[in-house]
Amino acid sequence: MVRYSVEPDPSVPHSKSRGSHLRVHFKHCREIAHHVSGMPASKALRFLDDVMAFKSVVPFVKYTGGIGRKAQAKQSNVPGSKGRWPVKASAVVKDLLSNAVANAETKGLDPDALYVTHAQVNRAPPGRRRTYRAHGRIGKYASQPAHIEFVLSEKKKGVEKEDDAEGEAAKVKISKKQAAKKRFVKVGGGTD
């Protein structure tokens, strides 16, 4: 059994999925997970499909060095307009999300009511290779893989407001000033 960084409350129905040492860029995965976190699962999967089709852009918020500005990035409510279309990372994240949805269906949860409560990406140990430089030197040529984990939970259904006619008549709203006047007790007094 693998450990997750967050253990959700057992009373809340949830499902999880994670991948370790995935050979996709950590920075891309981090930006995708940050954008997808809090979304309904169906909307997140649709967004990732759109990214792979270059219809939606992943806004880059943290790792913005050298990232060009895109017109599509202005559509998402984030600071700046920097973004990219990381296709390979989007495919891996989509697979993990669809796996979490499948796990939820196995548990008997409603897939339409699921949303991403926890999305985390950590750096994995780099895959080290070498590249050959000028004058007989050797330089490092490392990949930056990632550990990714998702937790999906079911949205709680809202409580409906009670609809009774006699309750409305009994509850008359008064202001703070009126309530204070009712609490005030007149002491002493003259003749009126």
Side-chain angles (χ1 to χ4, degrees):
M1 171 126 174
V2 292
R3 286 190 56 207
Y4 284 77
S5 63
V6 168
E7 275 306 321
D9 185 20
S11 65
V12 178
H14 64 275
S15 70
K16 302 185 273 192
S17 74
R18 65 176 283 146
S20 297
H21 303 283
L22 301 172
R23 189 133 184 218
V24 281
H25 292 317
F26 159 75
K27 292 180 180 182
H28 292 176
C29 293
R30 186 264 168 206
E31 297 292 356
I32 294 169
H34 178 71
H35 189 66
V36 160
S37 184
M39 270 190 197
S42 56
K43 184 180 176 185
L45 290 169
R46 201 166 48 250
F47 167 74
L48 292 169
D49 280 332
D50 288 347
V51 169
M52 289 188 283
F54 296 90
K55 292 178 186 172
S56 293
V57 74
V58 176
F60 276 54
V61 180
K62 186 174 184 182
Y63 299 108
T64 56
I67 306 289
R69 292 182 293 188
K70 307 287 185 293
Q72 285 182 3
K74 290 187 285 187
Q75 294 169 358
S76 51
N77 190 16
V78 293
S81 59
K82 294 184 173 186
R84 278 189 176 169
W85 298 275
V87 172
K88 185 177 175 184
S90 296
V92 169
V93 170
K94 183 183 173 223
D95 285 346
L96 277 172
L97 264 177
S98 54
N99 181 256
V101 170
N103 292 343
E105 286 176 3
T106 306
K107 283 183 164 185
L109 305 181
D110 178 21
D112 297 328
L114 293 173
Y115 72 107
V116 181
T117 51
H118 173 73
Q120 180 174 314
V121 179
N122 293 342
R123 273 186 207 273
R128 298 184 178 278
R129 290 184 292 166
R130 54 168 44 176
T131 186
Y132 300 96
R133 311 302 301 262
H135 309 296
R137 291 173 304 156
I138 287 175
K140 72 183 183 70
Y141 205 70
S143 66
Q144 301 294 330
H147 305 309
I148 308 173
E149 62 183 45
F150 286 104
V151 177
L152 307 182
S153 299
E154 257 188 347
K155 271 259 193 259
K156 292 182 180 175
K157 292 178 176 63
V159 180
E160 289 186 16
K161 192 172 183 180
E162 188 179 7
D163 190 34
D164 59 339
E166 68 274 352
E168 291 175 18
K171 296 177 186 175
V172 177
K173 293 202 173 191
I174 59 171
S175 67
K176 286 184 178 180
K177 193 172 184 180
Q178 288 171 334
K181 279 184 180 176
K182 284 186 177 180
R183 285 195 303 270
F184 181 70
V185 179
K186 231 178 183 180
V187 179
T191 56
D192 288 358

